[in-house]
Amino acid sequence: DRSRAKELGAAMSMEDIVADRLGRVVAHGFDIFKISKEALDIYQDPNLSLTKALDIALLSLMAMVEGPEFEMTEKEFYDFLSDIRQM
């Protein structure tokens, strides 16, 4: 129900919200372009209060499309999501 959803939403950290949104993008396959676009959407979302660490994390994900030296493997990406949750 809605009140339960609100409780859960309030309990989620900003880091969990960001990691969940990024995780949903790769639910149907790993795609750096989709990840980069979602990172930009999160970065520009006026409803989110991002920490400096999250800012930097999102910028690094946005940069993945700039060249192979910035890309992450799928395993690196999932490790990165774990790191985001621990921030």
Side-chain angles (χ1 to χ4, degrees), residues 12-83:
M12 283 185 76
S13 69
M14 187 59 57
E15 292 77 10
D16 285 335
I17 291 168
V18 169
D20 285 355
R21 281 183 60 175
L22 291 166
R24 281 197 295 272
V25 170
V26 295
H28 301 293
F30 184 74
D31 181 330
I32 63 164
F33 296 98
K34 287 181 182 176
I35 294 166
S36 181
K37 183 185 179 320
E38 183 63 19
L40 177 63
D41 289 348
I42 294 167
Y43 188 78
Q44 294 178 330
D45 189 331
N47 298 313
L48 299 178
S49 301
L50 300 173
T51 63
K52 184 73 176 161
L54 281 172
D55 266 2
I56 293 167
L58 291 168
L59 289 169
S60 67
L61 292 174
M62 287 185 267
M64 284 204 305
V65 295
E66 299 302 322
E69 67 272 24
F70 300 112
E71 288 181 25
M72 291 180 193
T73 64
E74 190 167 358
K75 182 190 182 326
E76 288 169 333
F77 174 72
Y78 283 109
D79 289 346
F80 195 72
L81 287 186
S82 293
D83 292 344

